[in-house]
PDB file of all heavy atoms in Angstrom:
ATOM      1  N   PHE A 228      -7.855 -15.647  33.745  1.00 98.00           N
ATOM      2  CA  PHE A 228      -7.821 -14.176  33.702  1.00 98.00           C
ATOM      3  C   PHE A 228      -9.191 -13.624  33.306  1.00 98.00           C
ATOM      4  O   PHE A 228      -9.701 -12.671  33.903  1.00 98.00           O
ATOM      5  CB  PHE A 228      -6.759 -13.726  32.690  1.00 98.00           C
ATOM      6  CG  PHE A 228      -6.599 -12.233  32.572  1.00 98.00           C
ATOM      7  CD1 PHE A 228      -5.800 -11.534  33.466  1.00 98.00           C
ATOM      8  CD2 PHE A 228      -7.235 -11.512  31.559  1.00 98.00           C
ATOM      9  CE1 PHE A 228      -5.639 -10.151  33.350  1.00 98.00           C
ATOM     10  CE2 PHE A 228      -7.075 -10.145  31.437  1.00 98.00           C
ATOM     11  CZ  PHE A 228      -6.270  -9.465  32.340  1.00 98.00           C
ATOM     12  N   HIS A 229      -9.784 -14.246  32.284  1.00 98.00           N
ATOM     13  CA  HIS A 229     -11.085 -13.746  31.814  1.00 98.00           C
ATOM     14  C   HIS A 229     -12.162 -13.869  32.895  1.00 98.00           C
ATOM     15  O   HIS A 229     -13.105 -13.085  32.916  1.00 98.00           O
ATOM     16  CB  HIS A 229     -11.486 -14.463  30.521  1.00 98.00           C
ATOM     17  CG  HIS A 229     -10.657 -14.014  29.353  1.00 98.00           C
ATOM     18  ND1 HIS A 229     -10.206 -14.846  28.361  1.00 98.00           N
ATOM     19  CD2 HIS A 229     -10.161 -12.791  29.041  1.00 98.00           C
ATOM     20  CE1 HIS A 229      -9.491 -14.160  27.481  1.00 98.00           C
ATOM     21  NE2 HIS A 229      -9.442 -12.903  27.883  1.00 98.00           N
ATOM     22  N   GLN A 230     -11.974 -14.842  33.799  1.00 98.00           N
ATOM     23  CA  GLN A 230     -12.921 -14.949  34.913  1.00 98.00           C
ATOM     24  C   GLN A 230     -12.598 -13.939  36.012  1.00 98.00           C
ATOM     25  O   GLN A 230     -13.478 -13.324  36.597  1.00 98.00           O
ATOM     26  CB  GLN A 230     -12.868 -16.359  35.524  1.00 98.00           C
ATOM     27  CG  GLN A 230     -13.449 -17.435  34.618  1.00 98.00           C
ATOM     28  CD  GLN A 230     -12.904 -18.836  34.935  1.00 98.00           C
ATOM     29  OE1 GLN A 230     -12.188 -19.028  35.929  1.00 98.00           O
ATOM     30  NE2 GLN A 230     -13.224 -19.797  34.094  1.00 98.00           N
ATOM     31  N   MET A 231     -11.299 -13.765  36.279  1.00 98.00           N
ATOM     32  CA  MET A 231     -10.906 -12.962  37.435  1.00 98.00           C
ATOM     33  C   MET A 231     -10.705 -11.474  37.147  1.00 98.00           C
ATOM     34  O   MET A 231     -10.839 -10.637  38.028  1.00 98.00           O
ATOM     35  CB  MET A 231      -9.623 -13.533  38.061  1.00 98.00           C
ATOM     36  CG  MET A 231      -9.814 -14.908  38.687  1.00 98.00           C
ATOM     37  SD  MET A 231      -8.288 -15.532  39.416  1.00 98.00           S
ATOM     38  CE  MET A 231      -8.016 -14.423  40.793  1.00 98.00           C
ATOM     39  N   VAL A 232     -10.300 -11.165  35.916  1.00 98.00           N
ATOM     40  CA  VAL A 232      -9.999  -9.751  35.577  1.00 98.00           C
ATOM     41  C   VAL A 232     -10.756  -9.371  34.296  1.00 98.00           C
ATOM     42  O   VAL A 232     -10.145  -9.139  33.249  1.00 98.00           O
ATOM     43  CB  VAL A 232      -8.466  -9.538  35.392  1.00 98.00           C
ATOM     44  CG1 VAL A 232      -8.131  -8.047  35.363  1.00 98.00           C
ATOM     45  CG2 VAL A 232      -7.660 -10.232  36.471  1.00 98.00           C
ATOM     46  N   PRO A 233     -12.087  -9.310  34.387  1.00 97.00           N
ATOM     47  CA  PRO A 233     -12.868  -9.136  33.160  1.00 97.00           C
ATOM     48  C   PRO A 233     -12.571  -7.832  32.409  1.00 97.00           C
ATOM     49  O   PRO A 233     -12.767  -7.767  31.200  1.00 97.00           O
ATOM     50  CB  PRO A 233     -14.327  -9.177  33.645  1.00 97.00           C
ATOM     51  CG  PRO A 233     -14.273  -9.027  35.133  1.00 97.00           C
ATOM     52  CD  PRO A 233     -12.926  -9.448  35.589  1.00 97.00           C
ATOM     53  N   ASP A 234     -12.059  -6.823  33.115  1.00 97.00           N
ATOM     54  CA  ASP A 234     -11.801  -5.554  32.425  1.00 97.00           C
ATOM     55  C   ASP A 234     -10.395  -5.428  31.854  1.00 97.00           C
ATOM     56  O   ASP A 234     -10.058  -4.418  31.236  1.00 97.00           O
ATOM     57  CB  ASP A 234     -12.052  -4.375  33.379  1.00 97.00           C
ATOM     58  CG  ASP A 234     -13.500  -4.324  33.808  1.00 97.00           C
ATOM     59  OD1 ASP A 234     -14.359  -4.788  33.015  1.00 97.00           O
ATOM     60  OD2 ASP A 234     -13.774  -3.870  34.929  1.00 97.00           O
ATOM     61  N   GLY A 235      -9.555  -6.430  32.109  1.00 98.00           N
ATOM     62  CA  GLY A 235      -8.176  -6.343  31.636  1.00 98.00           C
ATOM     63  C   GLY A 235      -7.999  -6.907  30.242  1.00 98.00           C
ATOM     64  O   GLY A 235      -8.958  -7.372  29.611  1.00 98.00           O
ATOM     65  N   MET A 236      -6.775  -6.849  29.758  1.00 98.00           N
ATOM     66  CA  MET A 236      -6.435  -7.447  28.462  1.00 98.00           C
ATOM     67  C   MET A 236      -5.194  -8.302  28.641  1.00 98.00           C
ATOM     68  O   MET A 236      -4.234  -7.881  29.294  1.00 98.00           O
ATOM     69  CB  MET A 236      -6.172  -6.354  27.428  1.00 98.00           C
ATOM     70  CG  MET A 236      -7.433  -5.647  26.958  1.00 98.00           C
ATOM     71  SD  MET A 236      -7.034  -4.383  25.746  1.00 98.00           S
ATOM     72  CE  MET A 236      -6.974  -5.338  24.232  1.00 98.00           C
ATOM     73  N   ILE A 237      -5.217  -9.464  28.026  1.00 98.00           N
ATOM     74  CA  ILE A 237      -4.096 -10.387  28.213  1.00 98.00           C
ATOM     75  C   ILE A 237      -3.708 -11.041  26.885  1.00 98.00           C
ATOM     76  O   ILE A 237      -4.556 -11.249  26.015  1.00 98.00           O
ATOM     77  CB  ILE A 237      -4.461 -11.460  29.280  1.00 98.00           C
ATOM     78  CG1 ILE A 237      -3.231 -12.236  29.722  1.00 98.00           C
ATOM     79  CG2 ILE A 237      -5.552 -12.422  28.772  1.00 98.00           C
ATOM     80  CD1 ILE A 237      -3.403 -13.000  31.027  1.00 98.00           C
ATOM     81  N   GLY A 238      -2.434 -11.345  26.769  1.00 98.00           N
ATOM     82  CA  GLY A 238      -1.955 -12.062  25.582  1.00 98.00           C
ATOM     83  C   GLY A 238      -0.501 -12.436  25.773  1.00 98.00           C
ATOM     84  O   GLY A 238       0.166 -11.925  26.671  1.00 98.00           O
ATOM     85  N   PRO A 239       0.017 -13.336  24.949  1.00 98.00           N
ATOM     86  CA  PRO A 239       1.443 -13.674  25.028  1.00 98.00           C
ATOM     87  C   PRO A 239       2.268 -12.648  24.246  1.00 98.00           C
ATOM     88  O   PRO A 239       1.718 -11.915  23.423  1.00 98.00           O
ATOM     89  CB  PRO A 239       1.506 -15.030  24.320  1.00 98.00           C
ATOM     90  CG  PRO A 239       0.374 -14.987  23.339  1.00 98.00           C
ATOM     91  CD  PRO A 239      -0.700 -14.109  23.924  1.00 98.00           C
ATOM     92  N   SER A 240       3.570 -12.595  24.517  1.00 98.00           N
ATOM     93  CA  SER A 240       4.482 -11.820  23.662  1.00 98.00           C
ATOM     94  C   SER A 240       5.253 -12.812  22.814  1.00 98.00           C
ATOM     95  O   SER A 240       5.949 -13.679  23.350  1.00 98.00           O
ATOM     96  CB  SER A 240       5.495 -11.033  24.505  1.00 98.00           C
ATOM     97  OG  SER A 240       4.954  -9.814  24.909  1.00 98.00           O
ATOM     98  N   PHE A 241       5.125 -12.656  21.520  1.00 98.00           N
ATOM     99  CA  PHE A 241       5.744 -13.631  20.627  1.00 98.00           C
ATOM    100  C   PHE A 241       6.901 -12.988  19.860  1.00 98.00           C
ATOM    101  O   PHE A 241       6.786 -11.862  19.386  1.00 98.00           O
ATOM    102  CB  PHE A 241       4.682 -14.159  19.640  1.00 98.00           C
ATOM    103  CG  PHE A 241       5.223 -15.178  18.696  1.00 98.00           C
ATOM    104  CD1 PHE A 241       5.550 -16.445  19.155  1.00 98.00           C
ATOM    105  CD2 PHE A 241       5.447 -14.869  17.358  1.00 98.00           C
ATOM    106  CE1 PHE A 241       6.082 -17.397  18.295  1.00 98.00           C
ATOM    107  CE2 PHE A 241       5.977 -15.809  16.492  1.00 98.00           C
ATOM    108  CZ  PHE A 241       6.289 -17.075  16.965  1.00 98.00           C
TER     109      PHE A 241
END
Side-chain angles (χ1 to χ4, degrees):
F228 181 83
H229 288 141
Q230 290 157 7
M231 293 180 67
V232 193
D234 297 332
M236 287 180 85
I237 193 163
S240 275
F241 181 71

